[in-house]
Amino acid sequence: LFLLYISSEKIILEGFSGLEEADTIVNVQRAVNALTDKITSINITLKDWAYWDDTCDFVDSPVKNPYIQSNLMDNTFINLKMNLMLFVNRSNQIVFSKCVDLYRGCEVPVSQSLKSHLLPGKILLSHKSLKNTVSGIILLDEGPMLISSKPILHTDETGPAHGVMIMGNYLDSSVIKSLSDTTRLRISIHSVKETGLPDDFQ
């Protein structure tokens, strides 16, 4: 009986352990898919702005151009649920950048740590083709940001590129809650650079 109990316990525990591992893998993949969908949503919004004649004209001739007053008000960012918009011309000069705190509904300084990613040759400004997109998660001093970068083209999607446009959305508690609601999972996110990660993350 004792040997039967030991062998049965081992089989049952290994079975439950396997099920738990498989369930965890599925749930993590659901969370990753939801995060990927969020980045894709930023890409779609960015395409509407980057492939636009008005945006081309703005980065080519920003002085006295009504583009900022007409399009880049605080409410635009709030309605798009976007924290950051940044425009770089063909000479790799930042023509305009703006960051909005979506909670307070007001403009805040653009992260200083972002500037190190906007140097010539850096991935956000390096596109392999006219319709190439660079997107993912970038770690800033203020926290992780979902970010996307596209060449600025005419409305008919023709070149040459007039520069680069970047949009970003902080991966903050509201975005994580949205991902949790979408997947019906309790999602928490930690940086791999963090010290003292929870045991299950380790």
Side-chain angles (χ1 to χ4, degrees), residues 57-69 89 95-96:
D57 294 339
F58 170 58
V59 293
D60 286 345
S61 305
V63 180
K64 296 183 180 180
N65 192 310
Y67 185 92
I68 295 174
Q69 291 74 24
N89 64 17
V95 172
F96 178 82

Side-chain angles (χ1 to χ4, degrees), residues 26-193:
V26 170
N27 286 337
V28 169
Q29 190 58 56
R30 284 168 60 195
V32 170
N33 289 344
L35 191 60
T36 302
D37 288 344
K38 178 66 178 173
I39 295 172
T40 300
S41 176
I42 295 173
N43 291 341
I44 292 170
T45 302
L46 175 59
K47 181 181 177 181
D48 290 339
W49 284 72
Y51 297 176
W52 189 18
D53 290 338
D54 286 4
T55 303
C56 291
D57 294 339
F58 170 58
V59 293
D60 286 345
S61 305
V63 180
K64 296 183 180 180
N65 192 310
Y67 185 92
I68 295 174
Q69 291 74 24
S70 301
N71 301 294
L72 300 173
M73 307 83 71
D74 292 352
N75 279 341
T76 301
F77 288 73
I78 294 166
N79 292 336
L80 292 175
K81 296 182 179 179
M82 202 72 63
N83 292 106
L84 173 76
M85 286 196 204
L86 191 144
F87 302 79
V88 179
N89 64 17
R90 331 179 194 222
S91 302
N92 289 323
Q93 297 172 321
I94 298 174
V95 172
F96 178 82
S97 62
K98 182 173 180 176
C99 189
V100 170
D101 185 322
L102 301 179
Y103 297 111
R104 293 184 289 160
C106 62
E107 185 174 357
V108 294
V110 175
S111 172
Q112 288 295 313
S113 59
L114 179 62
K115 292 183 179 179
S116 64
H117 298 279
L118 301 175
L119 300 173
K122 291 291 187 178
I123 189 169
L124 288 175
L125 300 184
S126 302
H127 294 276
K128 298 176 181 177
S129 64
L130 277 181
K131 296 185 181 179
N132 178 239
T133 301
V134 175
S135 61
I137 303 173
I138 192 168
L139 294 178
L140 303 176
D141 291 343
E142 294 77 6
M145 174 179 273
L146 307 178
I147 201 161
S148 183
S149 165
K150 276 183 178 293
I152 296 171
L153 306 178
H154 288 287
T155 304
D156 61 3
E157 302 185 12
T158 59
H162 291 248
V164 171
M165 184 175 177
I166 295 170
M167 282 187 174
N169 195 196
Y170 279 112
L171 184 53
D172 56 19
S173 56
S174 66
V175 174
I176 294 171
K177 183 181 183 304
S178 174
L179 296 175
S180 295
D181 292 342
T182 300
T183 58
R184 297 184 179 180
L185 296 170
R186 282 192 309 123
I187 295 176
S188 56
I189 294 175
H190 293 269
S191 167
V192 293
K193 296 181 179 179

